[in-house]
Amino acid sequence: WQSVWLESVPTQHIAGLRVTPDLAGQAVVITVEGEAGEARVRIVDDGRVVADHTVATNTATAIAVPDPHPWSPADPFLYDLEITLGNDSVRSYIGMRSVAVVADAQGIPRLHLNGEPFLQAGLLDQGYWPDGLYTAPSDEALVWDIQFARDLGFTMLRKHIKIEPARWYYHCDKLGMLVWQDMV
């Protein structure tokens, strides 16, 4: 039920990425995992380069994102991320957002999105499909399912019992859907 692929990579390649937005600090903390070396990191906003830095591999590095455009369900803005290490390159994305639990004036814990209280309207999503049990019939079906929940006015899905393929989480980010992931 998870995507499987095989690709050849150069000897010096990107083994993984860890990307953590710091909305309040107007930065992104990026770790490019791979053999020792330096990687080029570019953050792009609709074709305009916001940041272009060289970072050491396997080292968490904060990269400034001046005047960041926050991600929210109402405005699911994503920055493009381009990483190059030697002859290997990877494209990904960043949603500049913060999520925290903050006590209100009465001491009641409230979810905050981007530093503001955010009322979530959500569904329990077990991720079952009628014709494949754990596997969606297509990428388009993943999009349809998330968009249908958005069209009904929901802004959050609680993913129950299952970890979805990475494409599902991408589509949630792209369409403006918060995700509560149960620990599986």
Side-chain angles (χ1 to χ4, degrees), residues 98-144:
S98 67
V99 178
V101 176
V102 179
D104 67 11
Q106 290 77 35
I108 299 170
R110 306 284 184 193
L111 183 88
H112 281 222
L113 177 64
N114 302 333
E116 298 292 328
F118 184 77
L119 178 63
Q120 302 162 81
L123 299 168
L124 174 65
D125 180 356
Q126 293 188 309
Y128 295 124
W129 295 90
D131 54 351
L133 190 55
Y134 292 121
T135 306
S138 66
D139 199 55
E140 292 78 16
L142 293 174
V143 171
W144 182 90

mmCIF file of all heavy atoms in Angstrom, residues 98-144:
data_model
loop_
_atom_site.group_PDB
_atom_site.id
_atom_site.type_symbol
_atom_site.label_atom_id
_atom_site.label_comp_id
_atom_site.label_asym_id
_atom_site.label_seq_id
_atom_site.Cartn_x
_atom_site.Cartn_y
_atom_site.Cartn_z
ATOM 1 N N SER A 98 3.429 27.495 11.749
ATOM 2 C CA SER A 98 3.741 27.050 13.100
ATOM 3 C C SER A 98 2.455 26.524 13.714
ATOM 4 O O SER A 98 1.372 27.053 13.460
ATOM 5 C CB SER A 98 4.314 28.198 13.943
ATOM 6 O OG SER A 98 3.334 29.194 14.163
ATOM 7 N N VAL A 99 2.599 25.474 14.496
ATOM 8 C CA VAL A 99 1.466 24.886 15.205
ATOM 9 C C VAL A 99 1.875 24.756 16.662
ATOM 10 O O VAL A 99 2.958 24.252 16.966
ATOM 11 C CB VAL A 99 1.101 23.498 14.625
ATOM 12 C CG1 VAL A 99 -0.045 22.874 15.399
ATOM 13 C CG2 VAL A 99 0.751 23.606 13.147
ATOM 14 N N ALA A 100 1.019 25.235 17.556
ATOM 15 C CA ALA A 100 1.325 25.176 18.985
ATOM 16 C C ALA A 100 0.029 25.079 19.772
ATOM 17 O O ALA A 100 -1.034 25.456 19.284
ATOM 18 C CB ALA A 100 2.099 26.417 19.404
ATOM 19 N N VAL A 101 0.146 24.575 20.986
ATOM 20 C CA VAL A 101 -0.966 24.581 21.927
ATOM 21 C C VAL A 101 -0.659 25.664 22.950
ATOM 22 O O VAL A 101 0.394 25.630 23.603
ATOM 23 C CB VAL A 101 -1.152 23.207 22.599
ATOM 24 C CG1 VAL A 101 -2.259 23.270 23.636
ATOM 25 C CG2 VAL A 101 -1.437 22.132 21.549
ATOM 26 N N VAL A 102 -1.563 26.642 23.070
ATOM 27 C CA VAL A 102 -1.364 27.794 23.940
ATOM 28 C C VAL A 102 -2.595 27.947 24.830
ATOM 29 O O VAL A 102 -3.732 27.856 24.348
ATOM 30 C CB VAL A 102 -1.149 29.082 23.107
ATOM 31 C CG1 VAL A 102 -0.969 30.297 23.997
ATOM 32 C CG2 VAL A 102 0.040 28.921 22.166
ATOM 33 N N ALA A 103 -2.373 28.178 26.115
ATOM 34 C CA ALA A 103 -3.490 28.381 27.037
ATOM 35 C C ALA A 103 -4.131 29.743 26.782
ATOM 36 O O ALA A 103 -3.431 30.745 26.605
ATOM 37 C CB ALA A 103 -3.000 28.288 28.479
ATOM 38 N N ASP A 104 -5.478 29.772 26.771
ATOM 39 C CA ASP A 104 -6.183 31.039 26.609
ATOM 40 C C ASP A 104 -6.280 31.756 27.957
ATOM 41 O O ASP A 104 -5.684 31.318 28.949
ATOM 42 C CB ASP A 104 -7.554 30.839 25.967
ATOM 43 C CG ASP A 104 -8.542 30.071 26.838
ATOM 44 O OD1 ASP A 104 -8.259 29.854 28.042
ATOM 45 O OD2 ASP A 104 -9.606 29.680 26.320
ATOM 46 N N ALA A 105 -7.022 32.846 28.023
ATOM 47 C CA ALA A 105 -7.131 33.652 29.243
ATOM 48 C C ALA A 105 -7.691 32.864 30.427
ATOM 49 O O ALA A 105 -7.402 33.175 31.576
ATOM 50 C CB ALA A 105 -7.992 34.882 28.982
ATOM 51 N N GLN A 106 -8.486 31.817 30.149
ATOM 52 C CA GLN A 106 -9.052 30.976 31.209
ATOM 53 C C GLN A 106 -8.185 29.751 31.504
ATOM 54 O O GLN A 106 -8.578 28.885 32.272
ATOM 55 C CB GLN A 106 -10.474 30.517 30.830
ATOM 56 C CG GLN A 106 -11.512 31.627 30.837
ATOM 57 C CD GLN A 106 -11.420 32.515 29.606
ATOM 58 O OE1 GLN A 106 -11.103 32.050 28.519
ATOM 59 N NE2 GLN A 106 -11.658 33.799 29.782
ATOM 60 N N GLY A 107 -7.031 29.667 30.857
ATOM 61 C CA GLY A 107 -6.130 28.544 31.078
ATOM 62 C C GLY A 107 -6.469 27.301 30.273
ATOM 63 O O GLY A 107 -5.882 26.246 30.471
ATOM 64 N N ILE A 108 -7.400 27.406 29.324
ATOM 65 C CA ILE A 108 -7.800 26.262 28.498
ATOM 66 C C ILE A 108 -6.848 26.166 27.305
ATOM 67 O O ILE A 108 -6.655 27.152 26.579
ATOM 68 C CB ILE A 108 -9.259 26.414 28.021
ATOM 69 C CG1 ILE A 108 -10.194 26.469 29.237
ATOM 70 C CG2 ILE A 108 -9.642 25.282 27.073
ATOM 71 C CD1 ILE A 108 -11.618 26.861 28.899
ATOM 72 N N PRO A 109 -6.248 24.991 27.086
ATOM 73 C CA PRO A 109 -5.330 24.840 25.946
ATOM 74 C C PRO A 109 -6.080 24.969 24.619
ATOM 75 O O PRO A 109 -7.131 24.363 24.433
ATOM 76 C CB PRO A 109 -4.770 23.424 26.103
ATOM 77 C CG PRO A 109 -5.188 22.954 27.458
ATOM 78 C CD PRO A 109 -6.342 23.781 27.891
ATOM 79 N N ARG A 110 -5.539 25.780 23.730
ATOM 80 C CA ARG A 110 -6.129 26.011 22.400
ATOM 81 C C ARG A 110 -5.059 25.807 21.334
ATOM 82 O O ARG A 110 -3.909 26.181 21.521
ATOM 83 C CB ARG A 110 -6.676 27.431 22.278
ATOM 84 C CG ARG A 110 -7.659 27.847 23.341
ATOM 85 C CD ARG A 110 -9.004 27.238 23.099
ATOM 86 N NE ARG A 110 -9.941 27.740 24.103
ATOM 87 C CZ ARG A 110 -11.107 27.228 24.320
ATOM 88 N NH1 ARG A 110 -11.512 26.196 23.619
ATOM 89 N NH2 ARG A 110 -11.901 27.715 25.245
ATOM 90 N N LEU A 111 -5.465 25.239 20.213
ATOM 91 C CA LEU A 111 -4.540 25.084 19.096
ATOM 92 C C LEU A 111 -4.345 26.429 18.414
ATOM 93 O O LEU A 111 -5.323 27.133 18.139
ATOM 94 C CB LEU A 111 -5.070 24.071 18.075
ATOM 95 C CG LEU A 111 -4.072 23.840 16.948
ATOM 96 C CD1 LEU A 111 -3.098 22.737 17.328
ATOM 97 C CD2 LEU A 111 -4.772 23.507 15.669
ATOM 98 N N HIS A 112 -3.084 26.771 18.180
ATOM 99 C CA HIS A 112 -2.754 27.989 17.449
ATOM 100 C C HIS A 112 -2.065 27.606 16.145
ATOM 101 O O HIS A 112 -1.183 26.747 16.131
ATOM 102 C CB HIS A 112 -1.817 28.875 18.271
ATOM 103 C CG HIS A 112 -2.512 29.658 19.336
ATOM 104 N ND1 HIS A 112 -2.207 30.967 19.586
ATOM 105 C CD2 HIS A 112 -3.497 29.334 20.203
ATOM 106 C CE1 HIS A 112 -2.968 31.413 20.560
ATOM 107 N NE2 HIS A 112 -3.757 30.436 20.959
ATOM 108 N N LEU A 113 -2.475 28.243 15.082
ATOM 109 C CA LEU A 113 -1.827 28.095 13.779
ATOM 110 C C LEU A 113 -1.224 29.452 13.433
ATOM 111 O O LEU A 113 -1.945 30.462 13.431
ATOM 112 C CB LEU A 113 -2.837 27.656 12.711
ATOM 113 C CG LEU A 113 -2.299 27.535 11.291
ATOM 114 C CD1 LEU A 113 -1.241 26.431 11.200
ATOM 115 C CD2 LEU A 113 -3.431 27.266 10.306
ATOM 116 N N ASN A 114 0.063 29.471 13.197
ATOM 117 C CA ASN A 114 0.782 30.701 12.848
ATOM 118 C C ASN A 114 0.597 31.788 13.908
ATOM 119 O O ASN A 114 0.437 32.964 13.603
ATOM 120 C CB ASN A 114 0.350 31.205 11.465
ATOM 121 C CG ASN A 114 0.589 30.166 10.389
ATOM 122 O OD1 ASN A 114 1.474 29.327 10.514
ATOM 123 N ND2 ASN A 114 -0.221 30.190 9.353
ATOM 124 N N GLY A 115 0.594 31.369 15.186
ATOM 125 C CA GLY A 115 0.533 32.314 16.290
ATOM 126 C C GLY A 115 -0.852 32.823 16.637
ATOM 127 O O GLY A 115 -0.995 33.661 17.516
ATOM 128 N N GLU A 116 -1.881 32.308 15.973
ATOM 129 C CA GLU A 116 -3.251 32.748 16.225
ATOM 130 C C GLU A 116 -4.126 31.541 16.553
ATOM 131 O O GLU A 116 -3.932 30.457 15.993
ATOM 132 C CB GLU A 116 -3.823 33.452 14.981
ATOM 133 C CG GLU A 116 -3.074 34.701 14.574
ATOM 134 C CD GLU A 116 -3.228 35.828 15.574
ATOM 135 O OE1 GLU A 116 -4.289 35.920 16.220
ATOM 136 O OE2 GLU A 116 -2.272 36.619 15.717
ATOM 137 N N PRO A 117 -5.142 31.731 17.434
ATOM 138 C CA PRO A 117 -6.075 30.621 17.694
ATOM 139 C C PRO A 117 -6.727 30.169 16.387
ATOM 140 O O PRO A 117 -7.055 31.005 15.535
ATOM 141 C CB PRO A 117 -7.121 31.232 18.631
ATOM 142 C CG PRO A 117 -6.482 32.442 19.202
ATOM 143 C CD PRO A 117 -5.496 32.933 18.176
ATOM 144 N N PHE A 118 -6.868 28.856 16.227
ATOM 145 C CA PHE A 118 -7.449 28.325 14.983
ATOM 146 C C PHE A 118 -8.449 27.234 15.330
ATOM 147 O O PHE A 118 -8.086 26.220 15.929
ATOM 148 C CB PHE A 118 -6.350 27.765 14.076
ATOM 149 C CG PHE A 118 -6.864 27.286 12.754
ATOM 150 C CD1 PHE A 118 -7.174 28.202 11.758
ATOM 151 C CD2 PHE A 118 -7.074 25.946 12.512
ATOM 152 C CE1 PHE A 118 -7.669 27.767 10.540
ATOM 153 C CE2 PHE A 118 -7.567 25.497 11.301
ATOM 154 C CZ PHE A 118 -7.862 26.419 10.311
ATOM 155 N N LEU A 119 -9.703 27.474 14.974
ATOM 156 C CA LEU A 119 -10.749 26.479 15.200
ATOM 157 C C LEU A 119 -10.712 25.479 14.056
ATOM 158 O O LEU A 119 -10.892 25.852 12.891
ATOM 159 C CB LEU A 119 -12.129 27.143 15.280
ATOM 160 C CG LEU A 119 -13.289 26.175 15.471
ATOM 161 C CD1 LEU A 119 -13.172 25.440 16.805
ATOM 162 C CD2 LEU A 119 -14.616 26.895 15.371
ATOM 163 N N GLN A 120 -10.478 24.229 14.396
ATOM 164 C CA GLN A 120 -10.407 23.189 13.378
ATOM 165 C C GLN A 120 -11.765 22.542 13.193
ATOM 166 O O GLN A 120 -12.483 22.317 14.152
ATOM 167 C CB GLN A 120 -9.427 22.111 13.811
ATOM 168 C CG GLN A 120 -8.055 22.636 14.068
ATOM 169 C CD GLN A 120 -7.279 21.651 14.885
ATOM 170 O OE1 GLN A 120 -6.766 20.695 14.349
ATOM 171 N NE2 GLN A 120 -7.232 21.878 16.176
ATOM 172 N N ALA A 121 -12.078 22.245 11.976
ATOM 173 C CA ALA A 121 -13.266 21.451 11.666
ATOM 174 C C ALA A 121 -12.733 20.221 10.954
ATOM 175 O O ALA A 121 -12.127 20.335 9.889
ATOM 176 C CB ALA A 121 -14.218 22.232 10.766
ATOM 177 N N GLY A 122 -12.910 19.045 11.564
ATOM 178 C CA GLY A 122 -12.243 17.886 10.990
ATOM 179 C C GLY A 122 -13.035 16.610 11.003
ATOM 180 O O GLY A 122 -14.110 16.511 11.590
ATOM 181 N N LEU A 123 -12.459 15.628 10.331
ATOM 182 C CA LEU A 123 -13.027 14.301 10.173
ATOM 183 C C LEU A 123 -12.016 13.244 10.601
ATOM 184 O O LEU A 123 -10.808 13.461 10.485
ATOM 185 C CB LEU A 123 -13.350 14.022 8.695
ATOM 186 C CG LEU A 123 -14.347 14.918 7.991
ATOM 187 C CD1 LEU A 123 -14.295 14.659 6.492
ATOM 188 C CD2 LEU A 123 -15.736 14.663 8.530
ATOM 189 N N LEU A 124 -12.508 12.099 11.021
ATOM 190 C CA LEU A 124 -11.666 10.929 11.219
ATOM 191 C C LEU A 124 -11.553 10.250 9.861
ATOM 192 O O LEU A 124 -12.555 9.902 9.244
ATOM 193 C CB LEU A 124 -12.286 9.975 12.235
ATOM 194 C CG LEU A 124 -11.556 8.637 12.414
ATOM 195 C CD1 LEU A 124 -10.171 8.873 12.999
ATOM 196 C CD2 LEU A 124 -12.370 7.719 13.299
ATOM 197 N N ASP A 125 -10.341 10.107 9.361
ATOM 198 C CA ASP A 125 -10.107 9.529 8.036
ATOM 199 C C ASP A 125 -9.288 8.254 8.206
ATOM 200 O O ASP A 125 -8.106 8.309 8.522
ATOM 201 C CB ASP A 125 -9.357 10.538 7.175
ATOM 202 C CG ASP A 125 -9.061 10.041 5.767
ATOM 203 O OD1 ASP A 125 -9.374 8.876 5.456
ATOM 204 O OD2 ASP A 125 -8.503 10.820 4.981
ATOM 205 N N GLN A 126 -9.936 7.108 8.006
ATOM 206 C CA GLN A 126 -9.226 5.841 8.171
ATOM 207 C C GLN A 126 -8.471 5.420 6.920
ATOM 208 O O GLN A 126 -7.667 4.503 6.960
ATOM 209 C CB GLN A 126 -10.192 4.756 8.626
ATOM 210 C CG GLN A 126 -10.700 5.037 10.031
ATOM 211 C CD GLN A 126 -11.504 3.904 10.597
ATOM 212 O OE1 GLN A 126 -12.434 3.414 9.967
ATOM 213 N NE2 GLN A 126 -11.146 3.486 11.798
ATOM 214 N N GLY A 127 -8.712 6.085 5.803
ATOM 215 C CA GLY A 127 -7.926 5.845 4.601
ATOM 216 C C GLY A 127 -8.229 4.551 3.867
ATOM 217 O O GLY A 127 -7.378 4.057 3.129
ATOM 218 N N TYR A 128 -9.413 4.007 4.051
ATOM 219 C CA TYR A 128 -9.784 2.776 3.329
ATOM 220 C C TYR A 128 -10.400 3.126 1.984
ATOM 221 O O TYR A 128 -11.070 4.137 1.834
ATOM 222 C CB TYR A 128 -10.773 1.944 4.144
ATOM 223 C CG TYR A 128 -10.224 1.412 5.436
ATOM 224 C CD1 TYR A 128 -10.852 1.691 6.646
ATOM 225 C CD2 TYR A 128 -9.067 0.649 5.467
ATOM 226 C CE1 TYR A 128 -10.357 1.207 7.845
ATOM 227 C CE2 TYR A 128 -8.550 0.166 6.654
ATOM 228 C CZ TYR A 128 -9.203 0.448 7.837
ATOM 229 O OH TYR A 128 -8.697 -0.025 9.015
ATOM 230 N N TRP A 129 -10.165 2.260 1.015
ATOM 231 C CA TRP A 129 -10.704 2.448 -0.334
ATOM 232 C C TRP A 129 -11.535 1.221 -0.696
ATOM 233 O O TRP A 129 -11.133 0.093 -0.411
ATOM 234 C CB TRP A 129 -9.570 2.637 -1.339
ATOM 235 C CG TRP A 129 -8.817 3.900 -1.068
ATOM 236 C CD1 TRP A 129 -7.742 4.050 -0.259
ATOM 237 C CD2 TRP A 129 -9.137 5.185 -1.570
ATOM 238 N NE1 TRP A 129 -7.357 5.366 -0.229
ATOM 239 C CE2 TRP A 129 -8.194 6.087 -1.034
ATOM 240 C CE3 TRP A 129 -10.116 5.683 -2.426
ATOM 241 C CZ2 TRP A 129 -8.201 7.445 -1.321
ATOM 242 C CZ3 TRP A 129 -10.121 7.036 -2.714
ATOM 243 C CH2 TRP A 129 -9.178 7.899 -2.168
ATOM 244 N N PRO A 130 -12.693 1.401 -1.354
ATOM 245 C CA PRO A 130 -13.582 0.270 -1.628
ATOM 246 C C PRO A 130 -12.991 -0.767 -2.574
ATOM 247 O O PRO A 130 -13.344 -1.940 -2.509
ATOM 248 C CB PRO A 130 -14.830 0.916 -2.237
ATOM 249 C CG PRO A 130 -14.397 2.253 -2.713
ATOM 250 C CD PRO A 130 -13.246 2.670 -1.829
ATOM 251 N N ASP A 131 -12.065 -0.347 -3.432
ATOM 252 C CA ASP A 131 -11.535 -1.292 -4.422
ATOM 253 C C ASP A 131 -10.081 -1.675 -4.171
ATOM 254 O O ASP A 131 -9.486 -2.372 -4.971
ATOM 255 C CB ASP A 131 -11.686 -0.716 -5.828
ATOM 256 C CG ASP A 131 -11.065 0.651 -5.979
ATOM 257 O OD1 ASP A 131 -10.664 1.242 -4.955
ATOM 258 O OD2 ASP A 131 -10.969 1.140 -7.106
ATOM 259 N N GLY A 132 -9.489 -1.230 -3.056
ATOM 260 C CA GLY A 132 -8.094 -1.567 -2.821
ATOM 261 C C GLY A 132 -7.727 -1.611 -1.356
ATOM 262 O O GLY A 132 -6.548 -1.721 -1.030
ATOM 263 N N LEU A 133 -8.695 -1.500 -0.483
ATOM 264 C CA LEU A 133 -8.531 -1.496 0.958
ATOM 265 C C LEU A 133 -7.586 -0.369 1.398
ATOM 266 O O LEU A 133 -8.035 0.721 1.703
ATOM 267 C CB LEU A 133 -8.068 -2.849 1.485
ATOM 268 C CG LEU A 133 -8.106 -3.015 3.002
ATOM 269 C CD1 LEU A 133 -9.479 -2.730 3.572
ATOM 270 C CD2 LEU A 133 -7.607 -4.374 3.408
ATOM 271 N N TYR A 134 -6.261 -0.593 1.428
ATOM 272 C CA TYR A 134 -5.321 0.436 1.869
ATOM 273 C C TYR A 134 -4.809 1.302 0.724
ATOM 274 O O TYR A 134 -4.190 2.322 0.953
ATOM 275 C CB TYR A 134 -4.101 -0.202 2.547
ATOM 276 C CG TYR A 134 -4.402 -0.856 3.861
ATOM 277 C CD1 TYR A 134 -4.139 -2.200 4.047
ATOM 278 C CD2 TYR A 134 -4.940 -0.134 4.916
ATOM 279 C CE1 TYR A 134 -4.401 -2.813 5.259
ATOM 280 C CE2 TYR A 134 -5.214 -0.738 6.127
ATOM 281 C CZ TYR A 134 -4.943 -2.075 6.299
ATOM 282 O OH TYR A 134 -5.197 -2.676 7.490
ATOM 283 N N THR A 135 -5.019 0.896 -0.512
ATOM 284 C CA THR A 135 -4.416 1.554 -1.663
ATOM 285 C C THR A 135 -5.453 2.311 -2.470
ATOM 286 O O THR A 135 -6.441 1.728 -2.926
ATOM 287 C CB THR A 135 -3.727 0.515 -2.573
ATOM 288 O OG1 THR A 135 -2.815 -0.250 -1.779
ATOM 289 C CG2 THR A 135 -2.986 1.188 -3.705
ATOM 290 N N ALA A 136 -5.207 3.614 -2.671
ATOM 291 C CA ALA A 136 -6.086 4.418 -3.525
ATOM 292 C C ALA A 136 -5.929 3.955 -4.965
ATOM 293 O O ALA A 136 -4.835 3.542 -5.374
ATOM 294 C CB ALA A 136 -5.720 5.889 -3.404
ATOM 295 N N PRO A 137 -6.998 4.034 -5.756
ATOM 296 C CA PRO A 137 -6.896 3.586 -7.145
ATOM 297 C C PRO A 137 -5.993 4.463 -8.006
ATOM 298 O O PRO A 137 -5.472 4.006 -9.022
ATOM 299 C CB PRO A 137 -8.336 3.617 -7.650
ATOM 300 C CG PRO A 137 -9.075 4.502 -6.709
ATOM 301 C CD PRO A 137 -8.360 4.441 -5.404
ATOM 302 N N SER A 138 -5.787 5.740 -7.594
ATOM 303 C CA SER A 138 -4.948 6.638 -8.390
ATOM 304 C C SER A 138 -4.590 7.871 -7.566
ATOM 305 O O SER A 138 -5.181 8.134 -6.516
ATOM 306 C CB SER A 138 -5.691 7.081 -9.659
ATOM 307 O OG SER A 138 -6.827 7.878 -9.299
ATOM 308 N N ASP A 139 -3.648 8.638 -8.077
ATOM 309 C CA ASP A 139 -3.287 9.903 -7.459
ATOM 310 C C ASP A 139 -4.476 10.866 -7.505
ATOM 311 O O ASP A 139 -4.718 11.616 -6.561
ATOM 312 C CB ASP A 139 -2.075 10.500 -8.175
ATOM 313 C CG ASP A 139 -1.359 11.551 -7.350
ATOM 314 O OD1 ASP A 139 -0.978 11.249 -6.202
ATOM 315 O OD2 ASP A 139 -1.173 12.669 -7.866
ATOM 316 N N GLU A 140 -5.224 10.817 -8.582
ATOM 317 C CA GLU A 140 -6.399 11.672 -8.726
ATOM 318 C C GLU A 140 -7.440 11.363 -7.653
ATOM 319 O O GLU A 140 -8.137 12.259 -7.178
ATOM 320 C CB GLU A 140 -7.020 11.522 -10.123
ATOM 321 C CG GLU A 140 -6.173 12.068 -11.244
ATOM 322 C CD GLU A 140 -5.010 11.159 -11.656
ATOM 323 O OE1 GLU A 140 -5.008 9.949 -11.294
ATOM 324 O OE2 GLU A 140 -4.079 11.663 -12.311
ATOM 325 N N ALA A 141 -7.551 10.093 -7.265
ATOM 326 C CA ALA A 141 -8.506 9.707 -6.215
ATOM 327 C C ALA A 141 -8.087 10.312 -4.871
ATOM 328 O O ALA A 141 -8.946 10.750 -4.091
ATOM 329 C CB ALA A 141 -8.594 8.187 -6.106
ATOM 330 N N LEU A 142 -6.778 10.360 -4.598
ATOM 331 C CA LEU A 142 -6.299 11.000 -3.370
ATOM 332 C C LEU A 142 -6.722 12.468 -3.351
ATOM 333 O O LEU A 142 -7.253 12.966 -2.349
ATOM 334 C CB LEU A 142 -4.776 10.914 -3.267
ATOM 335 C CG LEU A 142 -4.149 9.539 -3.077
ATOM 336 C CD1 LEU A 142 -2.630 9.639 -3.152
ATOM 337 C CD2 LEU A 142 -4.583 8.916 -1.768
ATOM 338 N N VAL A 143 -6.495 13.164 -4.468
ATOM 339 C CA VAL A 143 -6.848 14.580 -4.564
ATOM 340 C C VAL A 143 -8.353 14.756 -4.399
ATOM 341 O O VAL A 143 -8.807 15.629 -3.650
ATOM 342 C CB VAL A 143 -6.383 15.181 -5.913
ATOM 343 C CG1 VAL A 143 -6.926 16.585 -6.111
ATOM 344 C CG2 VAL A 143 -4.862 15.169 -6.003
ATOM 345 N N TRP A 144 -9.148 13.931 -5.077
ATOM 346 C CA TRP A 144 -10.608 14.049 -5.008
ATOM 347 C C TRP A 144 -11.089 13.901 -3.569
ATOM 348 O O TRP A 144 -11.938 14.670 -3.106
ATOM 349 C CB TRP A 144 -11.276 12.988 -5.889
ATOM 350 C CG TRP A 144 -12.771 13.119 -5.865
ATOM 351 C CD1 TRP A 144 -13.535 13.870 -6.708
ATOM 352 C CD2 TRP A 144 -13.669 12.504 -4.932
ATOM 353 N NE1 TRP A 144 -14.859 13.764 -6.343
ATOM 354 C CE2 TRP A 144 -14.967 12.934 -5.262
ATOM 355 C CE3 TRP A 144 -13.497 11.647 -3.849
ATOM 356 C CZ2 TRP A 144 -16.092 12.517 -4.550
ATOM 357 C CZ3 TRP A 144 -14.613 11.247 -3.134
ATOM 358 C CH2 TRP A 144 -15.898 11.670 -3.491
#
